[in-house]
Amino acid sequence: MPDFVRLREYIRRSGRKTALLNYLWSFMILAGLFWGMVTGSLEGVTQGLLDSAKDAVTLGLTMLGIMSFWSGILEVGNRAGVLDWLSGKMAPVLHFLFPDLPGDHPALKPIAVNMTANMLGLGMAATPAGLEAMKKMKTAGERATDSMCTFLILNISSLQLVPITMVAYRAQYGSENPMAVLGPALAATACSTLAAVVFCKAMDVWRGKNL
């Protein structure tokens, strides 16, 4: 019964958030239509809606294919033992960042894959591993654990040594120098990741934990 009550409460909160987003998007669409009528450009607004719907479907199918591909690569790497090797090599770093997780914790493998993929700018490869890591770190309670919070913060900061995805997008859309983002991306993400690590360790000290 308590599980049913928690599920019902979760659905109720999720429905409230969904309704808020529906109101927000409805307002934006109606505001665009109203502005089109006022300025006499309603035909352009209608064409924009149709083009955007087409782009959304195309993007969704593309994302589905890419996610399926990287999920398959992740499974192949897991069966081949690559993930165990990678998590072993990153063990000192992972122990420093996630002191709450023991050395044999099942979340360490997907965390290592996620961090490596983010450093290479492969966001599509990082997403399945990140979701898997969150599932394995989840405990019986409803609150996020310290390790889950640290992992989320590091994901948001996302150090990128080589932003492959961004370079590919720039090349696809005709950039004269797609690699021009390498330096700025490395500098920006290095600063954001350093700030994330400092913040997480400061919170550990504030809670009375050992570094």
Side-chain angles (χ1 to χ4, degrees):
M1 190 60 147
D3 291 336
F4 174 76
V5 172
R6 284 197 296 267
L7 177 61
R8 184 177 61 185
E9 179 65 18
Y10 173 78
I11 295 174
R12 186 178 64 83
R13 291 197 302 265
S14 300
R16 186 184 305 164
K17 295 177 182 177
T18 303
L20 181 60
L21 288 175
N22 290 339
Y23 291 142
L24 176 61
W25 284 109
S26 299
F27 170 77
M28 294 174 65
I29 293 173
L30 293 176
L33 292 174
F34 175 76
W35 183 254
M37 289 187 294
V38 171
T39 59
S41 57
L42 187 58
E43 182 179 352
V45 174
T46 304
Q47 187 61 42
L49 288 174
L50 294 176
D51 293 340
S52 299
K54 177 183 176 181
D55 292 340
V57 173
T58 302
L59 179 61
L61 293 175
T62 302
M63 295 274 287
L64 177 62
I66 295 175
M67 289 285 289
S68 300
F69 170 78
W70 284 115
S71 296
I73 292 295
L74 182 63
E75 181 62 24
V76 170
N78 184 32
R79 296 188 181 187
V82 175
L83 302 189
D84 291 321
W85 176 84
L86 184 61
S87 61
K89 292 296 182 182
M90 296 181 62
V93 176
L94 296 178
H95 176 70
F96 173 75
L97 295 174
F98 305 97
D100 291 342
L101 300 181
D104 58 347
H105 197 281
L108 292 178
K109 287 198 297 185
I111 288 176
V113 174
N114 176 272
M115 294 178 66
T116 302
N118 275 328
M119 286 190 288
L120 296 177
L122 299 173
M124 293 301 174
T127 301
L131 294 175
E132 183 67 18
M134 279 294 192
K135 289 180 181 178
K136 293 184 180 301
M137 285 189 289
K138 182 175 175 56
T139 59
E142 295 184 356
R143 296 183 60 182
T145 63
D146 292 344
S147 296
M148 293 174 70
C149 294
T150 299
F151 181 64
L152 179 61
I153 293 171
L154 292 175
N155 249 276
I156 294 172
S157 65
S158 185
L159 174 66
Q160 293 192 6
L161 302 177
V162 184
I164 295 177
T165 302
M166 182 59 66
V167 171
Y169 282 147
R170 287 171 58 84
Q172 179 181 352
Y173 289 104
S175 174
E176 295 182 359
N177 186 11
M179 305 292 288
V181 296
L182 290 181
L186 177 60
T189 56
C191 292
S192 63
T193 302
L194 177 61
V197 172
V198 170
F199 172 79
C200 292
K201 290 304 170 183
M203 292 299 295
D204 286 344
V205 173
W206 182 66
R207 292 191 180 114
K209 296 182 178 180
N210 296 324
L211 291 177

